[in-house]
Amino acid sequence: MTSPHRDPEPQGHEHAHAHSHGPAAPVSPHLRKVIATVLIPFATAVLVGLVALWPGGAPAHERTGVGFDRQTQQGKVVSVVKADCEDMNAVQLPVSGETRPPEGRPATGALCEKATVEVTSGPDAGRRFIEVVQPDAPRQLREGQGVVVAYAPDAPHDLQYSVTDVNRKFPLYLLAGIFALAVVLVGRMRGVMALVALALSFAVLTLFILPAVLQGANPLLVAVVGAGAIMLIALYICHGPTARTSVAVIGTLISLLLIGLLGSLFIGWASLSGNTDDSTGLIHGLYPHIDMSGLLLAGVIIGSLGVLDDVTVTQTSAVWELRRANPAMSAKQLYRAGIRIGRDHIASVVNTLVLAYAGAALPLLLLFTVAQSGVGTVANSELVAEEIVRTLVGSIGLIASVPVTTALAALVVSADRTGVGAEAGASAPVRSGRGRRRRARS
């Protein structure tokens, strides 16, 4: 009965040595060749796709002056005074944004705010105009406040500028700085690399994916190439060019292909046009050649990528650590142990996805609740059906990624044990044999 107490000693030494050098990659040359056979063609295809589809910038168009397609500049509220709304004829002034009166003329004797706003950027910097804000407007202006002003060149001179939003750049930049600081303090060098990967991923999105779609390229093809580039950049920068990372990349790739197939099938089957709100309607009006249903599918793929990375890396790391803890475990045992970890991950991630989409669509769900619409009626509306398809297709891909990645990791780790790393595995049967002999003597 002494063998179980002596066995952990060499294993513990091996475990500590492995940790001192970080995640151990398979040393078998055969395994390296197998992984490279899958990843090199994929990485080459992504690179070729980037070169072939590179847009070189978004296409120019004539501004419509509607929604986000307005000319805007920065401004500052110089002064705010109270005045009678009737004296200023507030209802007839063409104010914009959330300062617009919700309905009708203000009550007699009501006091409105008369704000003097100065344009602080652009060719008209220093120019001032009057903005009238009604007392029941959802957003009130205050002196010294930074604002965003819209410019309408075809309007009369005194009415060309109007306040369209407040300037909230400082709190956003401050929050981003706090986020980056927290990532670096907790993650240290890994955190720094994560921020670098985030910046490069955002660059792929803004410099390649969005302009390429606007240029008329197939949104699905652009999304696949862009998601592939983001996946390779993020995973290898954050986790290093190891076999563990490569297995996570392959698992993510297989899951993305499944999401693309299911998304394409059910978006077409459910007749989802992708043109459901003011933003998509404006895009379709400006660029009628864009396939809006394809754009919807591209959004499903890109939206699922971030969570997929988390799941596949976690499952791969779990299998690697299980193998370190017990080098004698077979591929089947590693898979079973890893999948038990994956089940907990699935439950939490799926719940996160559903709640994230529900939170984003909360105002819409409130409208349906006020209208006392049935669940079937709500689900059948295209706005909600889009979110249902997006959530369920992404969740199916996440669920599939757990067994797929776990199986790949278990096979790679087990195969590695039969190669150069067989030393640790070969020692286990010898120790167990000594244990059997000691038990027989006792």
Side-chain angles (χ1 to χ4, degrees):
M1 300 297 291
T2 57
S3 178
H5 297 287
R6 293 186 178 182
D7 285 347
E9 184 176 349
Q11 292 178 17
H13 175 73
E14 177 185 351
H15 183 65
H17 178 75
H19 269 295
S20 65
H21 294 283
V27 293
S28 168
H30 175 68
L31 282 177
R32 289 185 182 140
K33 291 179 182 179
V34 171
I35 294 174
T37 301
V38 176
L39 288 180
I40 290 178
F42 171 65
T44 303
V46 169
L47 182 60
V48 171
L50 286 172
V51 174
L53 298 173
W54 193 263
H61 73 280
E62 186 176 349
R63 291 187 178 273
T64 62
V66 178
F68 290 105
D69 197 40
R70 288 178 288 189
Q71 298 182 42
T72 59
Q73 299 292 345
Q74 299 301 311
K76 181 179 180 181
V77 179
V78 177
S79 64
V80 178
V81 297
K82 297 284 186 180
D84 187 270
C85 294
E86 288 189 351
D87 293 343
M88 292 188 294
N89 199 13
V91 176
Q92 295 180 9
L93 286 176
V95 293
S96 59
E98 293 189 16
T99 57
R100 180 180 296 279
E103 59 179 16
R105 182 179 295 272
T108 303
L111 293 178
C112 291
E113 289 184 344
K114 180 181 179 182
T116 302
V117 181
E118 180 178 333
V119 181
T120 58
S121 66
D124 291 333
R127 179 174 167 180
R128 296 187 176 188
F129 64 95
I130 300 298
E131 182 81 10
V132 177
V133 185
Q134 291 206 29
D136 54 354
R139 180 186 296 126
Q140 301 293 314
L141 300 179
R142 66 178 185 274
E143 186 173 335
Q145 184 179 32
V147 293
V148 179
V149 297
Y151 176 62
D154 297 332
H157 183 269
D158 293 339
L159 304 177
Q160 287 181 333
Y161 280 98
S162 59
V163 175
T164 184
D165 208 342
V166 300
N167 189 332
R168 52 181 66 90
K169 290 182 180 180
F170 177 74
L172 293 180
Y173 289 152
L174 178 61
L175 182 59
I178 294 172
F179 163 75
L181 182 62
V183 170
V184 173
L185 288 178
V186 177
R188 298 186 178 180
M189 184 53 64
R190 282 290 181 92
V192 173
M193 300 311 293
L195 292 177
V196 172
L198 178 62
L200 292 176
S201 299
F202 189 74
V204 172
L205 178 65
T206 55
L207 300 179
F208 171 70
I209 295 177
L210 299 180
V213 171
L214 291 177
Q215 290 282 11
N218 185 295
L220 177 58
L221 182 59
V222 171
V224 170
V225 173
I230 291 173
M231 176 177 63
L232 292 172
I233 291 171
L235 288 179
Y236 282 113
I237 285 181
C238 291
H239 305 286
T242 64
R244 178 189 297 194
T245 307
S246 299
V247 171
V249 168
I250 295 173
T252 304
L253 174 61
I254 294 173
S255 303
L256 279 179
L257 292 175
L258 176 61
I259 289 173
L261 291 173
L262 286 176
S264 179
L265 172 63
F266 283 95
I267 286 175
W269 197 357
S271 300
L272 299 177
S273 66
N275 188 2
T276 54
D277 55 24
D278 293 340
S279 297
T280 54
L282 180 59
I283 292 172
H284 185 65
L286 294 174
Y287 303 97
H289 57 274
I290 294 180
D291 179 10
M292 299 304 293
S293 60
L295 188 62
L296 173 61
L297 178 57
V300 173
I301 293 174
I302 295 173
S304 303
L305 178 60
V307 188
L308 269 178
D309 288 350
D310 173 47
V311 173
T312 55
V313 169
T314 300
Q315 287 305 115
T316 307
S317 298
V319 173
W320 245 261
E321 294 303 322
L322 287 168
R323 191 259 181 175
R324 283 184 179 184
N326 187 358
M329 291 181 73
S330 65
K332 188 174 183 180
Q333 290 171 327
L334 286 170
Y335 175 79
R336 287 179 174 176
I339 206 71
R340 285 194 294 270
I341 299 172
R343 291 191 185 107
D344 292 335
H345 207 180
I346 287 173
S348 60
V349 168
V350 169
N351 193 48
T352 299
L353 269 183
V354 172
L355 291 180
Y357 286 125
L362 199 58
L364 178 64
L365 296 178
L366 284 175
L367 289 177
F368 281 114
T369 302
V370 170
Q372 297 182 346
S373 301
V375 175
T377 303
V378 172
N380 190 65
S381 66
E382 187 169 1
L383 271 173
V384 178
E386 272 190 10
E387 299 304 324
I388 291 175
V389 170
R390 192 194 311 269
T391 303
L392 297 183
V393 167
S395 298
I396 292 172
L398 289 174
I399 293 169
S401 71
V402 171
V404 168
T405 308
T406 305
L408 285 173
L411 290 174
V412 168
V413 168
S414 300
D416 176 49
R417 192 177 58 200
T418 63
V420 180
E423 182 181 346
S427 63
V430 176
R431 289 195 296 268
S432 62
R434 290 198 303 268
R436 285 195 296 269
R437 286 195 297 271
R438 291 192 180 103
R439 283 195 293 270
R441 290 174 184 173
S442 62

